[in-house]
Amino acid sequence: GGAAPADLHLFAFWLSAPPALAALLAGSLTSRFGAAYAGLQGGLIGSLPRLSGALTMTVLAAVATPPFSGFFALLRLLNTLDWMAALGVLTIWLLWGWAATCLLQGFIFGAARPVAHADIGWTPTLALAGLLGLFAAAGLYLTGGGL
């Protein structure tokens, strides 16, 4: 209700940037397999470890798990809401976690299949790791009450 516009902009950024990164990784999956459907190519951890690691960390950041900034932004939001609205936010957060589990189960785990495609390169992997590290650092900064 009485939040500053800058705080609202940062809140929207912290919650929307990791899903945008996940969409970029979906493009990488689509270019390799023709589609980015969970369960189409299970067991990617054995054949594409860098892509699997990047996908896992991006999905965890997108569903607002600690230490990523979305977790602390939602935690701060929960402290300002009444109990009914907080219950709604927690329900949505629970659905996000369930969807992330289904997504990771469909892509990462399962029987490993031989894949004729190359893994993502080290440069994109390090760039994603740097961005996710920035989100984690921002999350740890948010625990101190900043922003």
Side-chain angles (χ1 to χ4, degrees), residues 79-145:
N79 286 329
T80 61
L81 296 175
D82 63 358
W83 73 271
M84 196 66 170
L87 186 62
V89 170
L90 288 173
T91 302
I92 291 169
W93 206 351
L94 177 69
L95 291 173
W96 284 356
W98 175 75
T101 301
C102 291
L103 181 74
L104 293 178
Q105 182 181 8
F107 280 117
I108 307 301
F109 304 107
R113 300 177 192 166
V115 176
H117 303 284
D119 203 358
I120 60 174
W122 282 105
T123 303
T125 303
L126 292 175
L128 279 168
L131 282 172
L132 292 171
L134 177 70
F135 294 145
L140 294 175
Y141 176 75
L142 285 171
T143 60

